[in-house]
Amino acid sequence: MFLSSCLSENSEGHLTIGGVDVPALAREYGTPLYIMDEDAIRSTCREYRKAMLRHYGKNFLVAFASKAFCTKYMYKILAEENMGADVVSGGELYTALKAGFPMNRVYFHGNNKTDDEIKLALSSGVGRFVADNTEELSRLNEIAAAEGCVADISFRIKPGVEAHTHEFIKTGQIDSKFGVALINDEAFDFAKTALGLKNIRLVGVHCHIGSQIFDIDPFVHAADLMIDFISRVKSELGYEIAELNLGGGFGIRYTEKDDPKQIDEIVKSFTSAVLKKVSENNIKPPFLVIEPGRSIVAPYGITVYTVGSVKHIKNIRTYVSIDGGMTDNPRYALYQSEYTAVLPERINEPATETVTIAGRCCESGDLIGKDMKIPPVKPNDLIAVLSTGAYNYSMASNYNRIPRPPVVTVSGGKSRLIVRRESYEDLIRNDI
Ligand code: LLP
């Protein structure tokens, strides 16, 4: 049983992704190497859209959270799959723009957008500003006035819902830097202020409770609270907010222990909560937006490395050093995330060893994982780390001046380079 539907094995006992031999890709493009299965990503986009259509009707948008994996080619896939995109910086916005992505389907997030970013977003015709705070709202109003336009906004609400996930990736609680709270009338006052501004049109409300969440209840709870808020604004301010954005956060499998729910089941749960609540409160079903990131790409990406050394420290542990590490996957260093590693050249060999996979930075915490189960390895063997399609390439760095790996997609049995390997020249390009 493979961790992800895009992985399999061939007659040579090699790992395949999207039917393509992984050791052959490693030979062709070198290591470290990110490989993504484009067909699986596309079918997951379709699965989300089909589930929304089935359970909610046509009034929806699935906006991929670009922060999970942002490249021009990804925006091309998203545009073709009729997806929207959540962007969170001028850089992501610019990438979407340069990829020719339809900007009216872009949601611009961020808890501290700069004036330059706001101007870029306005001039490029971004679909929605997801305003975070009142200071930003008044800056946006002023900039829109100066540019002679009206900004369509949604704003981020902290619903105060507890999501059971890592502390650093929880965002729906009141003690968070993002958005305005439902309690103490913060959100209500925000809506009132927005409605009084000439160059702002209040279109929607947004919440995002966290990431890598397996439990459906927090999403349902958040949806209920958000509809209650829309109803309150309608009854007390006489204004019906037309759009509800419930964010992303749906969990995926990093190891055999993870047991995420099916997309259809998740979508059915929160859409039925929304539909039930709107009919109770006698308001129109809002245009419903969701922003899955991780669940669209993480399972369909792997990273392939070459082993450099195997260091046995008697009675302590075995370190397997690879030619990448925290610079291409900082998630163990940041969140102690667990991953699954396999040997793509000998996929059927039993995982009899317990090893710590270490990167090559001058940093003891530069690990892919501690006590991982893999078959015996030796220098020059390939190691593939699975489910690295989200928050790996997008969070990669050049610490220790290590160039970032290339990204290759596979589709219909063929590979395509979508991001080149960084060169040393790239590393010094901005040095003066
Ligand atoms: N929408 C908003 C407003 C968000 O802040 C996020 C994620 C998403 C959607 C997408 O959430 P997803 O479906 O990917 O869970 N770097 C961390 C994850 C940080 C997520 C931040 N926001 C990690 O590697 O786990």
Side-chain angles (χ1 to χ4, degrees), residues 57-130:
K58 285 189 184 153
N59 206 19
F60 73 88
L61 179 72
V62 182
F64 172 70
S66 308
K67 72 207 81 178
F69 181 69
C70 181
T71 68
K72 280 168 69 179
Y73 193 71
M74 184 65 195
Y75 286 112
K76 181 181 166 291
I77 295 175
L78 295 170
E80 287 171 5
E81 295 300 332
N82 291 310
M83 299 279 286
D86 138 6
V87 304
V88 78
S89 69
E92 287 183 354
L93 192 121
Y94 185 79
T95 311
L97 199 59
K98 287 289 165 179
F101 190 79
M103 296 309 280
N104 60 345
R105 301 208 301 254
V106 172
Y107 281 65
F108 185 23
H109 287 270
N111 66 308
N112 193 14
K113 303 172 188 70
T114 67
D115 289 358
D116 284 346
E117 286 177 323
I118 291 175
K119 283 178 197 159
L120 174 66
L122 274 178
S123 66
S124 57
V126 88
R128 201 78 75 242
F129 284 85
V130 185

Side-chain angles (χ1 to χ4, degrees), residues 81-334:
E81 295 300 332
N82 291 310
M83 299 279 286
D86 138 6
V87 304
V88 78
S89 69
E92 287 183 354
L93 192 121
Y94 185 79
T95 311
L97 199 59
K98 287 289 165 179
F101 190 79
M103 296 309 280
N104 60 345
R105 301 208 301 254
V106 172
Y107 281 65
F108 185 23
H109 287 270
N111 66 308
N112 193 14
K113 303 172 188 70
T114 67
D115 289 358
D116 284 346
E117 286 177 323
I118 291 175
K119 283 178 197 159
L120 174 66
L122 274 178
S123 66
S124 57
V126 88
R128 201 78 75 242
F129 284 85
V130 185
D132 180 90
N133 54 74
T134 40
E135 290 89 340
E136 179 185 294
L137 185 66
S138 52
R139 276 194 296 125
L140 177 58
N141 184 52
E142 278 164 31
I143 297 172
E147 311 270 320
C149 60
V150 171
D152 284 342
I153 72 147
S154 177
F155 69 99
R156 181 153 179 173
I157 294 182
K158 295 183 264 199
V161 169
E162 182 63 21
H164 302 283
T165 188
H166 191 284
E167 196 61 37
F168 290 2
I169 53 178
K170 273 186 196 173
T171 49
Q173 74 282 12
I174 303 301
D175 182 2
S176 158
K177 69 171 183 171
F178 299 105
V180 288
L182 261 190
I183 58 165
N184 303 329
D185 279 351
E186 273 187 38
F188 188 74
D189 291 345
F190 188 101
K192 235 198 283 188
T193 309
L195 289 173
L197 296 173
K198 264 179 73 184
N199 294 80
I200 296 289
R201 180 166 35 236
L202 176 59
V203 181
V205 280
H206 167 273
C207 69
H208 170 77
I209 56 175
S211 200
Q212 184 60 0
I213 300 169
F214 291 119
D215 201 1
I216 296 181
D217 293 347
F219 294 108
V220 168
H221 187 197
D224 281 350
L225 293 170
M226 296 296 280
I227 299 286
D228 281 341
F229 178 76
I230 294 176
S231 308
R232 181 177 171 207
V233 171
K234 185 184 175 192
S235 64
E236 292 183 36
L237 302 177
Y239 185 85
E240 191 154 349
I241 291 173
E243 178 179 292
L244 171 61
N245 182 333
L246 291 174
F250 316 117
I252 67 111
R253 277 180 104 199
Y254 285 102
T255 70
E256 299 286 348
K257 286 182 287 185
D258 297 327
D259 188 19
K261 304 263 185 318
Q262 297 294 312
I263 288 173
D264 192 74
E265 188 186 346
I266 302 169
V267 169
K268 188 177 174 195
S269 305
F270 66 76
T271 50
S272 40
V274 169
L275 291 171
K276 182 163 173 269
K277 199 79 181 165
V278 294
S279 88
E280 280 167 16
N281 291 10
N282 203 18
I283 57 173
K284 286 194 220 86
F287 182 73
L288 192 60
V289 184
I290 55 168
E291 298 172 332
R294 187 190 314 267
S295 50
I296 290 180
V297 282
Y300 313 115
I302 64 174
T303 312
V304 188
Y305 304 101
T306 303
V307 173
S309 68
V310 181
K311 201 175 277 180
H312 298 285
I313 310 178
K314 207 173 165 202
N315 298 330
I316 301 187
R317 69 175 68 247
T318 297
Y319 283 96
V320 173
S321 288
I322 50 164
D323 55 356
M326 67 184 284
T327 49
D328 57 77
N329 181 358
R331 297 192 70 257
Y332 180 82
L334 281 169

